[in-house]
Amino acid sequence: MFYPIKDGSVEHVNEYKCQLPTVGYGKNRLTGELEYVGVIKRSNKKEEQYWERIALPKDWDKKEKLEMEMQKGDANYYDPELEKIREKHWRYRLCGLWVMINGVATYIPCSFYFYLNWCPLDIGYPDYWESDRRFFYVWEYCVEDPYCGGMIDIEGRRSGKTFKAGSILLDRASLFKNHHAGIQSKTTVDCKGIFQKTIISFFKKLPSFFRPVFDESQGVTPKSELRFFKTNIKGRKALNILGGVELESWIDFGSHEPLYYDGTKLNTYFMDEYGKTEESSVWDRWECVKFCLMDKGKWIGKAILTSTIEEQDNRMDDPKKLWEYSDPEDKNANGRTKSGLYRYFVPSYERPMMNGDEKLYDNFGKPDKEKTIQYILNEREGVRDDPRSLSALIRKMPMSIVEAFRINAATCLYDDIKLNDQLDRISWKDNLTEKGSFAWKDGEPFTEIVWEKSKTGRFEMCSAFVMKDANKVLKQNERYTPNNNLAFAAGVDPFKYDKVADNRRSDCAAFIYKKRDSGDPNNIFNDAFVCKYTYRAPTTAIQYDDIIKMLWFFGCQALFERNVDSFKEYFKAKNCQNFLMWLPGETEPGLYSDGHGNMIQSLSDYTEAYINEFIEKVFFKDLIKDWLEFDVGKTTKFDRAIGAGMALIATKRHQPKQYQKKSNEVTDYFKVYRLIGGNAV
């Protein structure tokens, strides 16, 4: 579903343009050719057109046994009726099929057909859900995309994630030759459970025409490995084995250890509950496994990672990192995401639910979105007074990906309800911010800065914010001085070349804070962060040059953390030292962290006060996430929280001057010294 199909159509599923064949046709996954499969219609009445499992005739087993008896005398004999049914199902398995659902011809891809028709769950064969159809569309898209190593699927509880992934492993391993499929989960015990309840359970229910030759030495319920090889039997009994084609494929499972599959070739891989694993690093595990799915840099296998997200000590970073690094709209020059995977999220309101005996969905696999959302909100309201239970419930039934990674209230320094509520509000809205770059107009430095929208820009601005008076910068005695300090202040948490304590290269984080304008009291951006910079530049010089451009545009000074002091020399070399803020009582520009927590305590106090009063004015999701996770003992992990806190300190503790530009005065022709912080400049 990745490659365009002649005379086909396109269905957009999240970020993916899924290519559909012409109605009535399917693309054979072995040959790549289009084949006619027809359109199934269980009724001519629109209201009676829904998915119905294509079961075998009730007398199938009886007729098949009779056919096998006849074949003992004539090896070429076959029952024409049975063969016609077998051919039909093989066509569906290779090409998919079309079904009329509520008057609409709907394409069921081959992997979805295998799951719906042949993989019984613990409550019977799967029902048809629109959310599952879209899941399999994205999976097939990932399978076809040569630059993709597979998909991450995050859904709520009881959505059938494990069953769907198990069906995919069995489907591929029982179809292709020399195919190795592997499973890992939270623990070895979990892996064994998945293997038994999906792979073995499904395999035992497959019809004979889909069941390849397999090693029967372990019986029909092998404990650790399902091998599609001939049974290893010596002597006369070997002569009695029917000569079937060996796929020489197998499915196994391993421990939770990251290096379990190291050096092993994998063609399909399933990482179950990747967001709940506590005993090992799922990032390290994926870093090992992805090379098992590659040969000479080419993907020879595909992975599927599924989970809801649960809070674990020291393990939330790995699931988030995998998710963030799997953005299909953020690829390198080779056309790959940072992880090699693509991501897919299903909001809980798109899944079928029941409220008591009331179905919150219709017969066509579509949920009543309005009723489902209200049901979820009612459940949340019931535990509103228990923040920890509320956070857990939201993660189990998330309505956005932000909710799926919701932080546990027990670990939050600030008011987690206010933070999460604002995060929920802005997560439902698109385009609250826009990325872009600051550039010198016409390429002339130190003249005028312009804002240029760009998806790859290193800056992020509130989309609705209007800058009325940009570039208010004076040149005084060869020095540039910002002259809009009454309106704006900036905070900067720069980086050094050294890695931080957790071996993560720190970003430079900077924020512009718009102060309250008494002349425009209804401006929504009064007391708001309006611009953000977070980037790990190749050099500190590029970092500081970016910051100068931002400060120039807003015409304001910045408060730096003074422990990183290389910024002073850089700004001085550019005649921009007046952009550096001095606080009362300080002997140098910037704010010094004494190592005893005084600066962090002050920063935390200002942040807490701001959140309590103005949280609804925060539109940067990653800043709220930093505040939710902020740990005073590990501040190097939270660049945004520090940068924003520096801006708040700058706003509250600094008393800015407003400079008046003069002309034709005697002082214009003589060098004038002024005192800032007790120093002549």
Side-chain angles (χ1 to χ4, degrees):
M1 304 190 78
F2 172 75
Y3 295 106
I5 300 175
K6 185 179 179 182
D7 299 324
S9 60
V10 175
E11 180 172 334
H12 291 263
V13 181
N14 293 12
E15 303 96 330
Y16 308 98
K17 294 171 59 177
C18 299
Q19 309 289 334
L20 278 63
T22 306
V23 173
Y25 286 82
K27 186 168 71 171
N28 188 307
R29 56 172 151 172
L30 296 181
T31 67
E33 299 296 323
L34 287 178
E35 295 184 16
Y36 182 74
V37 295
V39 181
I40 296 175
K41 183 192 298 185
R42 72 174 300 276
S43 172
N44 289 323
K45 296 180 180 179
K46 178 181 175 182
E47 61 272 16
E48 295 180 0
Q49 294 174 351
Y50 48 81
W51 166 261
E52 189 171 55
R53 180 172 178 263
I54 311 169
L56 296 176
K58 293 182 179 180
D59 59 352
W60 175 269
D61 290 340
K62 180 180 178 180
K63 288 186 175 182
E64 191 175 45
K65 287 180 181 178
L66 180 60
E67 181 186 56
M68 293 177 67
E69 286 295 321
M70 297 292 292
Q71 289 173 345
K72 291 179 180 179
D74 181 1
N76 294 319
Y77 173 82
Y78 64 89
D79 183 317
E81 182 183 351
L82 299 188
E83 190 65 12
K84 184 178 180 180
I85 293 173
R86 284 190 284 256
E87 288 178 354
K88 176 183 69 174
H89 282 287
W90 266 110
R91 187 163 57 250
Y92 293 159
R93 186 174 179 186
L94 295 178
C95 305
L97 68 152
W98 288 85
V99 180
M100 293 299 296
I101 295 182
N102 195 24
V104 179
T106 304
Y107 181 60
I108 308 295
C110 48
S111 55
F112 191 23
Y113 153 78
F114 187 83
Y115 169 71
L116 280 175
N117 216 67
W118 302 111
C119 297
L121 314 183
D122 48 5
I123 55 173
Y125 283 95
D127 290 321
Y128 169 89
W129 306 120
E130 280 290 293
S131 56
D132 284 347
R133 179 180 64 84
R134 291 194 292 271
F135 164 86
F136 280 99
Y137 275 21
V138 176
W139 167 252
E140 293 293 343
Y141 181 99
C142 294
V143 168
E144 285 195 7
D145 187 341
Y147 301 103
C148 174
M151 69 182 286
I152 293 178
D153 171 48
I154 292 182
E155 302 184 38
R157 291 287 299 275
R158 305 295 297 172
S159 60
K161 302 180 295 296
T162 301
F163 289 113
K164 286 183 286 189
S167 76
I168 286 170
L169 263 67
L170 179 60
D171 175 37
R172 287 165 61 83
S174 64
L175 180 64
F176 301 117
K177 288 183 65 67
N178 302 308
H179 196 95
H180 180 193
I183 303 170
Q184 284 185 288
S185 189
K186 304 191 299 294
T187 66
T188 305
V189 173
D190 289 310
C191 291
K192 185 175 182 179
I194 294 166
F195 181 75
Q196 291 296 327
K197 80 175 184 179
T198 62
I199 306 302
I200 299 304
S201 177
F202 295 165
F203 180 70
K204 290 166 67 174
K205 299 295 178 63
L206 283 182
S208 59
F209 52 83
F210 279 164
R211 191 183 301 161
V213 172
F214 70 102
D215 184 351
E216 299 181 45
S217 62
Q218 300 296 319
V220 295
T221 310
K223 303 299 182 183
S224 61
E225 187 178 43
L226 178 59
R227 293 170 52 82
F228 298 123
F229 291 77
K230 288 183 180 179
T231 305
N232 184 18
I233 302 176
K234 297 180 180 179
R236 287 183 173 273
K237 289 185 177 180
L239 300 176
N240 297 325
I241 299 175
L242 295 175
V245 176
E246 285 186 282
L247 290 178
E248 298 184 348
S249 300
W250 71 102
I251 305 172
D252 62 14
F253 62 86
S255 72
H256 65 275
E257 295 296 333
L259 298 179
Y260 179 83
Y261 280 113
D262 188 30
T264 303
K265 177 182 175 182
L266 288 168
N267 303 99
T268 307
Y269 171 75
F270 173 31
M271 189 189 296
D272 177 61
E273 299 294 13
Y274 97 98
K276 295 182 181 178
T277 300
E278 295 188 68
E279 298 180 13
S280 60
S281 165
V282 293
W283 175 261
D284 291 343
R285 186 192 291 172
W286 172 244
E287 281 293 285
C288 172
V289 166
K290 75 177 180 181
F291 291 101
C292 300
L293 296 163
M294 300 173 69
D295 184 22
K296 302 180 182 67
K298 179 182 178 181
W299 294 108
I300 59 170
K302 301 289 179 175
I304 179 168
L305 285 64
T306 69
S307 194
T308 51
I309 305 298
E310 297 295 344
E311 185 77 30
Q312 303 109 24
D313 293 338
N314 304 319
R315 290 297 177 200
M316 280 298 287
D317 285 348
D318 281 356
K320 287 180 64 177
K321 185 176 180 180
L322 270 170
W323 177 264
E324 291 168 356
Y325 278 23
S326 302
D327 184 353
E329 296 184 349
D330 182 15
K331 298 179 181 178
N332 62 24
N334 292 329
R336 301 186 180 192
T337 64
K338 294 176 182 177
S339 69
L341 299 166
Y342 291 166
R343 64 193 190 186
Y344 180 64
F345 171 72
V346 180
S348 289
Y349 56 78
E350 291 187 358
R351 292 172 41 227
M353 291 188 184
M354 294 188 68
N355 183 13
D357 293 330
E358 181 188 6
K359 295 197 307 182
L360 306 182
Y361 54 90
D362 60 25
N363 293 331
F364 311 110
K366 290 186 177 182
D368 185 319
K369 183 175 177 180
E370 185 176 335
K371 286 185 177 181
T372 305
I373 290 176
Q374 190 58 55
Y375 168 80
I376 294 172
L377 294 177
N378 291 344
E379 290 294 300
R380 294 180 181 183
E381 190 62 32
V383 292
R384 187 72 178 179
D385 295 332
D386 184 350
R388 188 163 190 171
S389 296
L390 177 61
S391 294
L393 177 63
I394 288 174
R395 287 196 302 272
K396 287 178 173 61
M397 293 194 297
M399 292 195 285
S400 69
I401 191 59
V402 173
E403 290 187 349
F405 286 100
R406 188 180 177 107
I407 306 302
N408 191 332
T411 63
C412 186
L413 179 65
Y414 306 119
D415 188 327
D416 73 289
I417 293 180
K418 287 188 175 183
L419 290 170
N420 276 310
D421 282 350
Q422 178 64 3
L423 196 55
D424 293 345
R425 282 191 290 268
I426 64 178
S427 295
W428 287 92
K429 300 177 182 179
D430 296 326
N431 305 319
L432 288 176
T433 63
E434 62 186 27
K435 288 188 175 182
S437 300
F438 288 117
W440 296 110
K441 187 175 182 180
D442 300 325
E444 292 292 330
F446 306 107
T447 54
E448 182 180 341
I449 288 289
V450 293
W451 170 252
E452 300 173 344
K453 294 182 183 180
S454 170
K455 290 184 178 180
T456 60
R458 302 199 280 262
F459 298 86
E460 193 172 353
M461 187 107 70
C462 292
S463 303
F465 171 72
V466 177
M467 184 63 185
K468 299 179 180 178
D469 205 359
N471 297 286
K472 288 187 68 174
V473 178
L474 305 179
K475 188 174 183 181
Q476 296 179 323
N477 306 316
E478 302 304 319
R479 295 182 183 179
Y480 300 105
T481 301
N483 200 26
N484 212 10
N485 295 304
L486 293 176
F488 299 97
V492 184
D493 180 26
F495 68 81
K496 293 190 288 188
Y497 284 113
D498 300 331
K499 289 187 178 181
V500 294
D502 63 350
N503 290 324
R504 181 185 61 87
R505 283 163 58 89
S506 179
D507 290 331
C508 171
F511 285 85
I512 297 290
Y513 184 92
K514 184 185 180 302
K515 302 176 184 179
R516 177 168 295 275
D517 183 355
S518 58
D520 187 11
N522 296 321
N523 191 325
I524 189 176
F525 295 107
N526 285 338
D527 294 299
F529 297 98
V530 295
C531 186
K532 180 194 72 172
Y533 172 82
T534 49
Y535 181 62
R536 176 73 195 194
T539 66
T540 54
I542 294 175
Q543 167 190 220
Y544 298 143
D545 188 59
D546 283 345
I547 297 300
I548 286 176
K549 291 176 182 176
M550 181 175 73
L551 299 177
W552 192 288
F553 181 79
F554 287 96
C556 68
Q557 291 181 318
L559 181 65
F560 279 74
E561 183 184 354
R562 201 164 68 232
N563 297 53
V564 181
D565 58 6
S566 56
F567 65 87
K568 289 183 292 187
E569 293 303 318
Y570 188 87
F571 274 65
K572 185 176 180 180
K574 300 295 183 180
N575 293 322
C576 290
Q577 55 265 55
N578 288 348
F579 281 86
L580 302 178
M581 184 178 292
W582 295 64
L583 292 181
E586 295 287 339
T587 59
E588 292 185 69
L591 185 61
Y592 180 69
S593 178
D594 58 8
H596 299 294
N598 293 329
M599 186 196 85
I600 297 302
Q601 183 62 54
S602 178
L603 181 147
S604 300
D605 291 343
Y606 280 115
T607 300
E608 182 176 29
Y610 180 80
I611 290 171
N612 289 335
E613 189 173 1
F614 297 118
I615 184 57
E616 293 187 1
K617 293 176 176 287
V618 180
F619 305 104
F620 298 104
K621 299 173 187 177
D622 50 4
L623 174 58
I624 298 178
K625 293 177 189 177
D626 252 27
W627 284 338
L628 280 165
E629 299 176 19
F630 189 69
D631 184 344
V632 293
K634 300 177 182 178
T635 57
T636 51
K637 294 177 61 176
F638 306 106
D639 310 306
R640 297 169 184 84
I642 298 297
M646 298 292 284
L648 292 174
I649 294 173
T651 300
K652 301 300 182 182
R653 290 179 55 184
H654 182 243
Q655 298 299 320
K657 290 182 179 180
Q658 193 77 352
Y659 297 94
Q660 298 296 324
K661 187 172 182 180
K662 301 177 182 180
S663 60
N664 298 322
E665 297 288 341
V666 65
T667 52
D668 290 335
Y669 306 100
F670 296 90
K671 192 169 185 178
V672 177
Y673 291 88
R674 58 190 176 86
L675 291 177
I676 297 181
N679 294 288
V681 294

